Amino acid sequence: MDGMTMKVAEVEPSPPARLHPLPLRLMHWINAAAMLIMIASGWKIYNDEVIFGWLHVPDAITLGKYAQHALQWHFFGMWVIALNGLAYLIYGIVTGRFRRKLFPIWPHEVLATVRDALTFRLRHDDLTHYNAVQRVLYVGIILVGIVVVLSGLAIWKPVQLSGLLVLFYDFQTARLVHFLCMAAIVLFLAVHVALALLVPRSLLAMLTGGPRVDPASSHSAAMPAE
Amino acid sequence: MARTTPARSQFRPAAGIDQSILREHKGLLAEIDRRKLLRGTLSLGALTMLTGCDVADDGSVRKALLAVSQWNDRVQAAIFRGDHLAPTYPESAVLKPARFNAYYDVEEIRPLDGATWTLELAGLIGDKRRWTAQQMAALPETELIVRHICVEGWDYVGQWSGVRLKDFLQRIGADLTAKYVAFTCADDYTESIDMATALHPQTILATRYGREPITDPFGYPLRLRMGTKLGFKNAKWITAISVTNTFPETFWSKQGFNWFAGI
């Protein structure tokens, strides 16, 4: 053993990691910015050939002066959101964060959580523990994120990736899937932001890292598990 | 087929430019470009965090977005496969008549006279003799029943036939190692494509739609039709074709649309 390793072995064990480690927080906010770019520029692109005749997005909330500028934004954001998303998936799997925080999901727990929420008995005192409904929503939005990228690739390259396009039936149904994923993300975003504002500690935790947690458990080190 | 060297431009200096200086600093030049892209991308991300700032109208943001669009051109060229075919469809799927689209309304089209029309050839081409509509129509035909996909999001299946661009380029002694094939159109439209796409088996100079001569709104007497590019790349009412190594900007690329526009 050389001197360096000896030195490392002698130091005190470092304190438990934060609830949201720095790489996770970075990925979260990069994703947030890229998602806003994708949604707002996507709306402008959608307006050029609407899927639903009754639905045009007001220009005030779209990104890009004309369609070409919206396309430029979209195909810039595409790289950010796909690479950041891929890094997030790898991080979640490799560090075990997905397994610790998002699983298992039991249907009876989901029902119980919904019941508690409807009767205003849902507690939020432990930020580090996701309730069953949160788990369902987070797993769901990750899956939607994967589908929105795949359907986007199929629309971008319906010939070069013709095998991928077949998964979505044809070009127009791939467009529809891409649109519905966007709608699901916007819906999630509305609930997610509303809840983050209702429990400001959770928003703060995504900025500063939140409480330190024992890596062996999904619960806070400072707070006993319920 | 014999290839000829193009005539030297009278505007080009006889001695030429000392290329060794450029070669010497090749690495530096490439690095500057990379840095610009990186810096542009980073500042884009930072700018979007600011509220109340119309980032889309900012000059440097425009430039950064265009740099990303050019990067996307390179990515698309890299993933393009010369032997990968666009899906084809049965004749029953064909839309008749085809869907019209241009940068102006259908009432404003200016039909061409097939009897007096000729195709002009320019650039890195051996035999630059003009072609008449009758000569073009007499060339061996390939039929293409492929999906037309517009950048706006609509699509339809069309049935186009005409000579393969690859066969035509070989016939006229074009330099197939050149980078671009450019098209000039009667409606002041300009278009250009990469050589790999020009040589793709589903790239044709169409003279027929649904086995009948193409009609005025769709580019009579000659138009480009490719199975591997977005709709707007398919130049209509072609009056000139040129083969070149100098990047030819196009009607839409000048306005900010992605140039490669592959599908």
Side-chain angles (χ1 to χ4, degrees), chain A residues 29 33 37 45 48-49 64-65 68-69 71-73 75-76 78-79 156-160 162 171-172 175, chain B residues 41 44 48 61 65-66 71-72 76 79-81 84 86 149 151-155 227 255-257 262-263:
Chain A
W29 292 110
I37 289 177
I45 298 166
D48 246 10
E49 179 69 13
K65 192 165 189 226
Q68 56 264 50
H69 309 115
L71 286 159
Q72 286 172 3
W73 277 109
F75 289 119
F76 154 70
M78 156 185 95
W79 291 106
W156 186 41
K157 290 281 160 270
V159 170
Q160 300 304 326
S162 49
F171 182 73
Q172 289 304 331
R175 268 188 89 210
Chain B
T41 312
L44 259 181
T48 53
V61 172
L65 285 173
L66 281 173
W71 158 256
N72 287 336
Q76 292 176 89
I79 65 171
F80 179 83
R81 289 165 289 163
H84 181 76
I149 291 172
V151 66
E152 293 173 341
W154 51 267
D155 70 302
Q255 297 183 40
F257 279 93
I263 53 175

Side-chain angles (χ1 to χ4, degrees), chain A residues 90-102 215:
Chain A
I90 293 169
Y91 178 90
I93 293 165
V94 169
T95 62
R97 185 182 171 91
F98 286 164
R99 185 174 41 76
R100 277 198 316 275
K101 303 197 73 67
L102 304 179

Side-chain angles (χ1 to χ4, degrees), chain A residues 178-224:
Chain A
H178 200 61
F179 179 92
L180 292 176
C181 285
M182 175 280 294
I185 290 167
V186 169
L187 214 61
F188 173 88
L189 206 59
V191 175
H192 184 68
V193 171
L195 290 180
L197 293 177
L198 276 175
V199 188
R201 277 181 308 132
S202 66
L203 181 59
L204 208 61
M206 195 45 89
L207 290 166
T208 62
R212 296 193 182 277
V213 281
D214 178 359
S217 110
S218 61
H219 294 258
S220 165
M223 227 174 275

